[in-house]
Amino acid sequence: MDSVGTKSGIINIARKLFYSKGFSKTSIQNIINEADIAKGTFYHYFKSKDDLLNQMTERDVEALYNLIYKILDLDIDAIKKLNMVFQTASTWKSENIQMMKVLVKKILSDSNLALRYTMLRQSIKQLTPIYQRIILQGNNEGLFNVTDTDYTANFILASFINNGEEMYKFLTAPKFTEDIILEFKKYIHNYEVTMERLLGAEEGTIHLIDSVVLEKLLKGLLEA
Amino acid sequence: MDSVGTKSGIINIARKLFYSKGFSKTSIQNIINEADIAKGTFYHYFKSKDDLLNQMTERDVEALYNLIYKILDLDIDAIKKLNMVFQTASTWKSENIQMMKVLVKKILSDSNLALRYTMLRQSIKQLTPIYQRIILQGNNEGLFNVTDTDYTANFILASFINNGEEMYKFLTAPKFTEDIILEFKKYIHNYEVTMERLLGAEEGTIHLIDSVVLEKLLKGLLEA
């Protein structure tokens, strides 16, 4: 038996169940039954349902990182690169709305504060070298004016934690409304201005997400 | 029996034990024995040892907030106010080094990610109105140039989360060295520059902590 295939197979079946029934309503037994495997096989690959979700997320996010790494090698200036990274990430999220929903729901439950924290710290760690490269390039091109590249990359990414918190606040809204879009747009504009200041970039140069993608993302997340 | 007195009494005895034996080595039974109370009395006031620590911390931190609120009412400009808030907080920490040690040790243990996160979110919530007032004043005085006061106050405070993380990194250092002070000073300088940018303040105006207090604080935390 191809062990990697089996692992992927279980992940795919779990994914289907998580997306249709929801994460909390899917039991390990459900996954075992649907995959037609022995209990021992499940526990050979995964410590728990949470571990399975982590491994699933890691695989999915790896796909996003591969897209981002390609952007880094493009022959464009640092501001275009940074904006492209943002666009790519938000487009990817809007296209993986089912997974985002599972994650957001899981992370939102209060009992998962530790998970939320760990995941956010993990993203910061993974994204830091990407931001460092872009900031360094921008400094060299005279588009940014940052004194300590490492510090600033880390600082910007750490602020994602707060962005995350704000996101959750929006996402706990009972349903999608035009007001939520407006509030979210204001929030994003503030964040763009803040980043321009931190990077020493010219006003109006940084764009986090375009309106169409934003609307798609919010609608997708808030509609049942 | 004066119920408030009893609660304070238990907290004071627990504090003595936490400071001498350490938090993790102090059991509820130790506190009960030392305070000479019935088990039921303890559980009347506190859900758990963690709850006792939370209530103890809340009381101590209230004292700090009272000092900070007094600064807000002083007739000085916003930059002086902000710097005074920073100075007061760091001096207070260096004077309450025993409590800081208990907290830092408790928070540092990985199993307490949720606690760490909750405490940091809690400080952000409490500090936000203080920062909002100072930023507003600075804007009016032409010393700051912030477009969205609420957003910027929240953003600056959220970055404390990351400062916290960096602090922990330093504080897990095996012992106090001159290198740690130097690294810490660099970190603080970067943070000052970042805040000046976020606030639109002139370069070199914001001072987080003075060298003497910093050294006292680091030595106190790192020495066994």
Side-chain angles (χ1 to χ4, degrees):
Chain A
M1 199 193 288
D2 175 24
S3 66
V4 176
T6 306
K7 191 175 182 176
S8 297
I10 300 171
I11 286 181
N12 286 336
I13 280 161
R15 183 195 303 279
K16 232 175 46 195
L17 290 168
F18 292 165
Y19 290 179
S20 56
K21 291 162 73 104
F23 177 79
S24 64
K25 282 184 186 148
T26 302
S27 67
I28 291 181
Q29 194 57 51
N30 291 152
I31 299 168
I32 287 171
N33 292 347
E34 192 76 15
D36 199 19
I37 52 170
K39 208 170 212 150
T41 309
F42 180 91
Y43 286 105
H44 175 66
Y45 295 116
F46 312 105
K47 269 178 278 178
S48 60
K49 201 171 68 165
D50 279 6
D51 182 37
L52 189 156
L53 180 64
N54 279 341
Q55 293 197 41
M56 178 190 295
T57 312
E58 260 173 38
R59 284 181 182 211
D60 290 346
V61 170
E62 219 185 277
L64 173 58
Y65 279 108
N66 287 336
L67 291 175
I68 289 175
Y69 281 118
K70 277 187 194 140
I71 296 169
L72 289 184
D73 292 329
L74 294 178
D75 190 22
I76 52 177
D77 73 38
I79 286 181
K80 287 203 186 83
K81 258 183 206 181
L82 191 60
N83 287 337
M84 212 181 213
V85 167
F86 293 138
Q87 290 291 337
T88 305
S90 50
T91 304
W92 182 86
K93 281 176 192 165
S94 76
E95 282 166 0
N96 289 272
I97 204 80
Q98 294 272 43
M99 198 200 58
M100 292 305 293
K101 267 184 171 171
V102 169
L103 278 184
V104 164
K105 253 192 199 156
K106 171 106 175 87
I107 287 173
L108 272 178
S109 69
D110 255 351
S111 59
N112 284 306
L113 269 180
L115 176 80
R116 192 195 297 186
Y117 195 76
T118 310
M119 285 181 66
L120 288 163
R121 294 300 308 170
Q122 190 56 28
S123 339
I124 291 175
K125 223 169 144 183
Q126 283 181 295
L127 286 165
T128 299
I130 295 169
Y131 276 69
Q132 282 171 337
R133 270 183 62 182
I134 297 179
I135 294 173
L136 213 57
Q137 184 187 335
N139 261 356
N140 290 335
E141 291 169 340
L143 293 169
F144 300 154
N145 167 25
V146 167
T147 34
D148 190 314
T149 308
D150 292 8
Y151 180 87
T152 305
N154 195 259
F155 190 93
I156 288 176
L157 287 164
S159 70
F160 280 5
I161 293 188
N162 196 46
N163 266 3
E165 288 297 325
E166 290 296 320
M167 267 280 231
Y168 305 143
K169 216 171 61 188
F170 284 113
L171 295 173
T172 45
K175 65 186 182 65
F176 175 81
T177 62
E178 288 301 316
D179 280 359
I180 289 178
I181 289 203
L182 280 178
E183 221 189 310
F184 215 96
K185 278 189 179 159
K186 188 180 146 207
Y187 184 79
I188 283 168
H189 174 71
N190 277 327
Y191 194 65
E192 288 166 346
V193 170
T194 302
M195 257 200 293
E196 284 157 4
R197 286 197 175 192
L198 288 173
L199 295 169
E202 234 173 275
E203 236 184 278
T205 49
I206 290 179
H207 303 289
L208 272 171
I209 187 169
D210 78 42
S211 287
V212 180
V213 176
L214 175 65
E215 221 151 306
K216 192 176 162 194
L217 190 58
L218 283 177
K219 265 189 185 157
L221 286 170
L222 288 171
E223 274 166 9
Chain B
M1 198 192 290
D2 175 25
S3 67
V4 176
T6 306
K7 191 174 181 177
S8 296
I10 300 170
I11 287 180
N12 286 337
I13 281 162
R15 183 196 303 278
K16 230 173 49 194
L17 291 168
F18 292 165
Y19 290 179
S20 57
K21 291 161 72 105
F23 177 80
S24 66
K25 282 184 186 148
T26 303
S27 67
I28 291 180
Q29 193 58 51
N30 291 153
I31 299 168
I32 287 170
N33 292 346
E34 193 74 15
D36 197 20
I37 51 169
K39 207 169 214 153
T41 309
F42 181 92
Y43 286 106
H44 175 65
Y45 296 115
F46 311 106
K47 270 180 275 179
S48 61
K49 201 170 69 164
D50 279 6
D51 182 36
L52 189 156
L53 181 64
N54 280 341
Q55 294 197 39
M56 179 191 294
T57 313
E58 258 173 40
R59 285 180 182 212
D60 290 346
V61 171
E62 219 185 277
L64 173 58
Y65 279 109
N66 287 335
L67 291 175
I68 290 176
Y69 281 118
K70 277 187 194 142
I71 297 169
L72 290 184
D73 292 330
L74 294 178
D75 190 23
I76 50 176
D77 73 38
I79 287 182
K80 288 202 187 84
K81 258 182 208 181
L82 191 60
N83 288 338
M84 213 182 213
V85 168
F86 293 138
Q87 289 290 337
T88 304
S90 50
T91 304
W92 183 86
K93 281 176 193 164
S94 76
E95 284 166 358
N96 289 271
I97 205 78
Q98 294 272 39
M99 198 199 60
M100 292 306 292
K101 267 184 171 172
V102 169
L103 278 183
V104 164
K105 254 193 198 152
K106 170 104 177 89
I107 286 172
L108 272 176
S109 69
D110 256 348
S111 59
N112 284 306
L113 270 180
L115 176 80
R116 192 193 298 187
Y117 196 76
T118 310
M119 284 181 65
L120 288 163
R121 294 299 307 170
Q122 189 58 28
S123 339
I124 291 175
K125 224 169 144 183
Q126 285 182 292
L127 287 164
T128 300
I130 294 169
Y131 276 68
Q132 282 170 337
R133 270 182 63 182
I134 297 179
I135 295 173
L136 213 58
Q137 183 187 336
N139 261 354
N140 290 336
E141 292 168 339
L143 293 169
F144 300 155
N145 167 24
V146 166
T147 34
D148 190 313
T149 310
D150 291 8
Y151 180 87
T152 304
N154 195 257
F155 190 92
I156 287 177
L157 288 164
S159 70
F160 281 4
I161 293 188
N162 196 46
N163 266 4
E165 289 297 325
E166 290 296 319
M167 267 279 231
Y168 304 142
K169 217 171 59 189
F170 285 112
L171 295 174
T172 45
K175 64 185 182 62
F176 175 80
T177 62
E178 288 300 317
D179 281 359
I180 289 179
I181 289 205
L182 280 178
E183 220 188 310
F184 214 96
K185 278 189 181 160
K186 188 180 148 209
Y187 183 78
I188 284 168
H189 174 71
N190 277 327
Y191 193 65
E192 288 166 344
V193 171
T194 303
M195 261 205 287
E196 285 157 3
R197 286 197 175 190
L198 288 173
L199 294 170
E202 234 173 273
E203 235 182 279
T205 50
I206 291 178
H207 304 290
L208 272 172
I209 187 169
D210 77 43
S211 287
V212 180
V213 176
L214 175 65
E215 220 150 305
K216 191 176 164 193
L217 191 58
L218 283 177
K219 267 190 184 156
L221 286 169
L222 289 170
E223 275 166 6

